[in-house]
Amino acid sequence: MTLRIDISGLRSGQLRFAASPLAELTAMLHVLAEPGHHPQLAGWAGEVWAGLPPEPAERLREAEFLWRSSQADFLLPARPRPTLAEELDDVDRIDDETYVTAALVTTCGSSRVPFAAPSPLTHPGARERALDLAQARGARQEAFAERLLADPAAVRQRVRHTLEQCAEAFFDAAWTGVTAQLAADLRLKNDLLRRQGIGAALASVSGAVTLAPDGDCIIVDKLQDKATAARGSGVTFIPSVFGRPHLVAVHAPGWQPVVQYPVAEPGPSEPVSLETVSLRLEALAHPVRLRLLRTLARGPHTTVELAHAWELSPPEVSRHLAVLRRAGLLTGRRQGRYVRYTLNLPDLTALGTDLLAAVLR
């Protein structure tokens, strides 16, 4: 299962490595929303939440769907700028249709939903479908989707103001603390690109990123099968300190490919018993269960949502979930008429950082 980025005919300079303030802020916001994904940053996240005034804290919660499970594509700039303000100006130039479509994908929890045609901004049926999907994710998602579809301009302005509040509250200080590390990584990547070529530069990004033997395709090892092309636009690689262990990729039609990668791999995990490892590895031996875990890593899901996301029958999904639950890798919690399944991150982490990184990226 891979993401394939077609780079045939890519001109010199169209594969770029650059730091992005907005992408790093997005990574920080994901840490704040999902500290369990980033145990090494739990202390930082706790300090930030403790220091946030009530208003920006609530604003972060109401818009967290833009970065919690996956990042909205407009938050990972294809052409990074030196400052956060410049990158937010670029986001402001995106038309409502594109912005809303990207926001709904993350809000509704499924990158497989074709929101773009017909448009939920103008087509009643598409609007109702989007709201139904958001409702199934929870009351906050439904409320955010309703506001977004009713008044995109107001929501966009509010999101920008929230990000600007984050800059003042914690981002500016954190960004200053990581710029030297990002700059060092970029010097390495660009030197490899210049002296040894694309293959060597990609190999230094991650073991999950490789150049195809024919040199015409970048292959990103992720638990999904997707394809996109960089012809005419290029592809951008953005390093991240706060993003590890995630490997995030923009691949939706109409967007220039962007890959945000961790500047360093996490350290080794604590050992666990052989019996526990054997039980859990047996549960993970089926590729469908890995796909389900990849989806559950983005947040709690119901059996029906998982079946829809992977085009499986609900009974088939239930059988796989039962195996994962017996292995202690999932928990289930009933909320009304839904049972939401949640990934057991601590126990998954105990299996090893390679597996954790593969599931989370």
Side-chain angles (χ1 to χ4, degrees), residues 219-239:
I219 301 172
V220 184
D221 180 21
K222 292 181 73 71
L223 288 174
Q224 56 186 332
D225 289 313
K226 294 286 185 180
T228 187
R231 294 188 303 271
S233 61
V235 56
T236 300
F237 286 84
I238 299 174

Side-chain angles (χ1 to χ4, degrees), residues 100 104 120-121 126-127 130-131 144-152 155:
V100 169
L104 285 176
L121 286 176
R127 182 181 186 277
L131 290 176
F144 183 82
E146 286 180 343
R147 293 194 300 271
L148 181 67
L149 290 170
D151 193 347
V155 171

Side-chain angles (χ1 to χ4, degrees), residues 88-337:
L88 292 177
D89 287 343
D90 287 343
V91 174
D92 287 345
R93 296 184 185 99
I94 299 172
D95 62 87
D96 281 349
E97 190 76 50
T98 302
Y99 186 102
V100 169
T101 298
L104 285 176
V105 166
T106 59
T107 302
C108 297
S110 175
S111 59
R112 293 173 172 250
V113 181
F115 289 115
S119 168
L121 286 176
T122 57
H123 190 279
R127 182 181 186 277
E128 286 306 310
R129 183 165 182 248
L131 290 176
D132 285 346
L133 288 169
Q135 182 184 48
R137 305 299 299 143
R140 280 183 174 268
Q141 286 94 325
E142 182 184 17
F144 183 82
E146 286 180 343
R147 293 194 300 271
L148 181 67
L149 290 170
D151 193 347
V155 171
R156 295 179 63 164
Q157 183 179 21
R158 187 173 177 84
V159 168
R160 172 165 183 155
H161 186 221
T162 299
L163 298 179
E164 291 170 338
Q165 287 180 311
C166 291
E168 182 178 350
F170 62 86
F171 171 74
D172 288 346
W175 176 249
T176 299
V178 301
T179 49
Q181 191 174 354
L182 295 176
D185 181 83
L186 289 173
R187 283 194 297 271
L188 171 65
K189 300 297 189 293
N190 285 306
D191 185 65
L192 286 171
L193 182 62
R194 182 176 61 257
R195 295 176 180 273
Q196 300 183 37
I198 294 176
L202 295 180
S204 72
V205 167
S206 168
V209 181
T210 57
L211 185 66
D214 60 9
D216 284 343
C217 185
I218 295 172
I219 301 172
V220 184
D221 180 21
K222 292 181 73 71
L223 288 174
Q224 56 186 332
D225 289 313
K226 294 286 185 180
T228 187
R231 294 188 303 271
S233 61
V235 56
T236 300
F237 286 84
I238 299 174
S240 175
V241 172
F242 280 79
R244 72 168 69 99
H246 300 303
L247 190 65
V248 182
V250 173
H251 55 74
W255 294 87
Q256 179 177 322
V258 177
V259 177
Q260 184 185 43
Y261 64 92
V263 297
E265 295 296 329
S269 60
E270 291 296 320
V272 296
S273 71
L274 178 61
E275 181 181 0
T276 299
V277 171
S278 299
L279 177 64
R280 289 173 178 165
L281 289 181
E282 182 179 353
L284 296 172
H286 200 293
V288 170
R289 292 177 202 141
L290 283 175
R291 291 172 182 159
L292 296 178
L293 283 183
R294 175 64 181 85
T295 302
L296 288 166
R298 302 171 65 184
H301 285 69
T302 67
T303 300
V304 172
E305 288 171 338
L306 291 168
H308 174 74
W310 290 106
E311 299 178 357
L312 301 168
S313 69
E316 183 178 3
V317 171
S318 293
R319 288 193 295 272
H320 287 300
L321 292 178
V323 174
L324 292 168
R325 290 192 72 181
R326 284 196 295 272
L329 295 174
L330 298 181
T331 57
R333 181 181 179 185
R334 179 170 293 279
Q335 295 179 339
R337 60 192 180 98

Side-chain angles (χ1 to χ4, degrees), residues 17-40:
F17 288 87
S20 164
L22 178 56
E24 194 68 1
L25 171 56
T26 302
M28 294 178 192
L29 294 176
H30 172 73
V31 172
L32 293 176
E34 288 285 8
H37 288 190
H38 310 268
Q40 76 280 9

